[in-house]
Structures are given as structure tokens and as C-alpha cells.
Amino acid sequence: MASYFDEHDCEPTEGSTPFSQANNLLLQLARMLMEQGPELELDLTSLAPGERQAPPASKAAVESLKAAQISPSQAAKGASCPVCLAEFDEYEFVKVMPCQHKFHPSCILPWLSKTNSCPVCRHELPTDDPEYEEARKEKERAKEREAQLDALHNSMYG
Amino acid sequence: MANIAVARIKREFREVVKSEEAAKCNIRVELIDDNFTELRGEIAGPPETPYEGGKFLLEIKIPETYPFNPPKVKFMTKIWHPNISSVTGAICLDILKDQWAAAMTLRTVLLSLQALLSAAEPDDPQDAVVAKQYKENRHLWEKTARHWAQEYAEAPKSKKDDEFYDKVSQLAEMGFDRHKALTALSAHEWNMERATQDLIS
């Protein structure tokens, strides 16, 4: 079988020793990871893109959240803030998400400065992160394509 | 600890204590200290799983920034499960990481962990050895998980499970630590020779 260097039409830079040494080190590392993998407890998920928490909600979206006042009947029903779990007082001012979930401003604002979704139903607000927005649009387009394919399939065989 | 965290944990604590699941002895929480920063959780092994009849203790640490960040949870009871480290008890579950939401509570966390015991996610493993066994030899994984539940979680024993006890006892009589012997046997398909080799290497 042709060696790595033959295949790539080049020569090892400083003889073959450093190359095989590096190879040995890699092998050692691989073996170490195989043997101790579960014990090493490296949180690799935090490094992998796409597994991180979604970025904060955009400033504009947060500023445009509607405010509302808790009515006496809502308060009487024991409506509470899903973040601090405390019941709302009559006429207390709350922030209303587009999904209609209501929160104390001091409870929802810190959350939206961390991530863009409703703490109750994960309804997403826009973000100021172009990469994230692009990925989200791509996901939506993929979903649409799938729905179209399904519809086509159903119209032919359904 | 910040006021919102303490006030919330107090409310949640009452919620769990009063919950339907607590009445059925499915979940439980206890306070460890007076500042509500550390709690002890307990979940019952779900029916029709190898964990049935077992009680699993959890260490729950409440961060200062709770509920904007998830609680830190790990298993204190040793368990054989693809998404839980058999060595440290660390858990791989999305809601304890990037999928946490501030409206989740101790109750929802405990119920999610119980659901994880019913439905493992071997493609997102925490313990690679367990996950491999789960995928390649489900029957042996089930027997091994049941044996761990009997050994560590007080799950009821039955006569037909004696074979694994005998193997662990044989290694223990040779002078090996019981838990190390059990771990080695579990990781090597209960093959005595390979487990012994693993223990002496």
C-alpha cells in the first residue's frame, strides 16, 4: 500500500521519526480517552456549536414587549408569575410575551437577556445574532420542504 | 443567595411536598441546609424498567442565579444507565443544560429524570460503556441495570438473579473491592476472565 507521503507526493520534512512520534502521541491520547472517557468528565457538549443555549432576545423585541395590568379577577384567580412563582397583585404591571404569557418585568427581563424564548412555552423572540437567525431560517425552510414533500406524497398515494 | 432563588425554592419545596407524585411516593425532596442551596432529591425507579422498586438519591445544588440557570443535579445512588455516569453520577439531560427554562421547577426536573430512567437516549450518552452495551446487547444491559438497582437502590431481588451475585462474590473473595469487581464485570459482559484481567491491570 502506498504510504501517506507517496500518496500526497511529498516527503517527510525531518525524516520519519517526528512523524511517528506524533502518531504515537495521538494513539496514546486516543487510548487514554477510550479507557478513561467516562471518568474524565469533560463537558464536551459545551464546546459543540448548536448545543449552546440560544442567544439573548434582540433589544428591539424586548423594548416592544407589551405591558399590561393585572385585573382584580385575574388576581382573584391566583394568577402567578411563572419565573418567581409569586402571585400577582391587583393592578400590578406585567410584561406580556407574544404568546400571552405574563411575567414581572424584573423576572422576564433578566431571562431574555440570557436567551430568546418564553420560559413557559419556548416561543422564540428575534435575536441580534445573525448566525443564529440564519440557522433558524434554514431550519424553518427545511421544515417547509418536508411539509411540501409530505403533501406531494399524500396527493399521489394518500 | 439572591432573594428570588430562596423565595422560589421555598415555594417549589411546598409544591413537591404537596404534589400527587409525592403522595404516591414517586418523588421526594429534603432540605440539607437552612439556606436552601443544597437539597436531597429522591425518585422511585419507574415500573417496567430494570430500576423498578429501587430508590435513587439525587444531589441537587441550587445556583445563586436560580431560576435563570438550572439546578446542578447528579445521582448519588450508583446506577447503570446510558445517560448517567456509572462512576460519578453525572447526568446528560438537555433540560439541565442548554434546554433549561426559567419556568421549570424541582418537580419538573425530578419527573424528567424519572422519564429518563424509562427512556434512555443512547445516542447522546454520558457513559459510553453503558450506551454501547445498551445498543449491542439490550438483554444483558437490562440484567446488569437490574443488578445495580438491587445492589445500590434497594430494588427487590429474585432467585434467578443469583448468577451475577455469585460472580461478584467470587471476585470479592479473591480480594477485589466489591464495587470495583461489579463495575469490571458489568463492563466486560460478565466474563470472569476479562473482568479479572481488567482488575489486575
Side-chain angles (χ1 to χ4, degrees):
Chain A
M1 198 168 74
S3 80
Y4 174 87
F5 297 106
D6 291 336
E7 254 179 38
H8 290 79
D9 194 28
C10 62
E11 301 241 337
T13 40
E14 297 173 43
S16 62
T17 328
F19 180 73
S20 53
Q21 264 175 1
N23 247 346
N24 277 339
L25 281 175
L26 274 175
L27 259 178
Q28 271 176 15
L29 179 69
R31 287 202 183 110
M32 196 181 81
L33 280 169
M34 265 167 67
E35 283 163 11
Q36 314 208 351
E39 289 171 54
L40 275 175
E41 288 305 326
L42 289 174
D43 192 5
L44 293 173
T45 51
S46 63
L47 302 175
E51 295 249 342
R52 269 170 303 160
Q53 199 177 33
S58 74
K59 277 205 177 113
V62 172
E63 276 163 18
S64 63
L65 282 184
K66 288 202 180 93
Q69 235 177 336
I70 296 295
S71 69
S73 72
Q74 282 172 324
K77 273 189 241 158
S80 59
C81 169
V83 171
C84 68
L85 305 179
E87 284 183 14
F88 290 127
D89 295 328
E90 281 181 23
Y91 305 112
E92 191 168 11
F93 277 101
V94 291
K95 289 277 183 197
V96 187
M97 290 279 283
C99 49
Q100 300 306 313
H101 289 115
K102 300 179 180 68
F103 304 88
H104 291 126
S106 60
C107 290
I108 192 65
L109 297 180
W111 176 254
L112 293 176
S113 70
K114 260 175 68 76
T115 191
N116 69 330
S117 61
C118 170
V120 177
C121 67
R122 298 189 196 277
H123 174 90
E124 289 191 66
L125 294 182
T127 71
D128 288 328
D129 184 327
E131 256 175 62
Y132 180 82
E133 290 300 316
E134 190 44 52
R136 182 160 73 166
K137 273 183 209 143
E138 183 49 48
K139 243 188 231 168
E140 270 163 27
R141 280 197 289 266
K143 227 189 233 169
E144 253 169 53
R145 276 198 297 274
E146 207 162 286
Q148 278 167 1
L149 264 177
D150 265 1
L152 183 65
H153 188 272
N154 287 343
S155 71
M156 292 198 310
Y157 303 105
Chain B
M1 189 156 63
N3 277 338
I4 176 166
V6 176
R8 225 189 93 135
I9 287 296
K10 281 184 184 166
R11 286 196 183 92
E12 287 189 42
F13 192 75
R14 286 196 293 268
E15 181 200 36
V16 174
V17 172
K18 286 195 294 189
S19 70
E20 231 175 89
E21 296 87 8
K24 287 189 266 175
C25 300
N26 274 334
I27 60 169
R28 215 160 65 128
V29 277
E30 258 171 48
L31 285 177
I32 296 292
D33 60 11
D34 293 336
N35 350 317
F36 292 87
T37 53
E38 206 175 324
L39 300 111
R40 179 74 33 90
E42 192 185 297
I43 54 176
E48 283 159 55
T49 69
Y51 312 108
E52 181 167 9
K55 286 185 182 313
F56 297 87
L57 290 180
L58 302 158
E59 178 190 279
I60 304 172
K61 290 189 172 158
I62 307 296
E64 189 115 345
T65 48
Y66 188 77
F68 301 110
N69 287 100
K72 291 188 169 68
V73 187
K74 67 178 199 176
F75 274 78
M76 294 172 69
T77 306
K78 294 197 183 308
I79 183 167
W80 192 252
H81 185 288
N83 305 105
I84 303 159
S85 165
S86 60
V87 181
T88 62
I91 304 165
C92 178
L93 180 63
D94 55 359
I95 62 150
L96 294 176
K97 295 173 185 166
D98 56 305
Q99 290 300 309
W100 171 254
M104 290 178 175
T105 63
L106 290 175
R107 179 174 160 268
T108 53
V109 166
L110 292 179
L111 293 178
S112 301
L113 286 172
Q114 220 175 17
L116 185 67
L117 295 192
S118 298
E121 300 269 359
D123 292 324
D124 189 16
Q126 177 76 32
D127 195 312
V129 177
V130 185
K132 188 165 178 283
Q133 190 184 60
Y134 181 94
K135 285 204 209 178
E136 291 172 2
N137 191 344
R138 182 70 73 88
H139 181 65
L140 192 65
W141 168 81
E142 252 182 64
K143 281 177 73 179
T144 307
R146 188 177 314 121
H147 185 79
W148 279 58
Q150 291 167 351
E151 186 81 21
Y152 299 114
E154 297 168 34
K157 290 176 186 136
S158 74
K159 259 248 154 44
K160 62 173 197 248
D161 302 315
D162 281 351
E163 180 204 349
F164 286 180
Y165 282 94
D166 293 346
K167 286 187 172 175
V168 177
S169 298
Q170 272 182 48
L171 288 178
E173 273 161 31
M174 287 161 71
F176 295 115
D177 172 79
R178 230 187 135 78
H179 173 63
K180 282 188 182 149
L182 171 51
T183 307
L185 282 164
S186 302
H188 295 288
E189 283 125 30
W190 294 87
N191 179 309
M192 286 290 275
E193 212 171 290
R194 280 167 53 209
T196 316
Q197 253 172 21
D198 184 0
L199 285 164
I200 51 181
S201 70

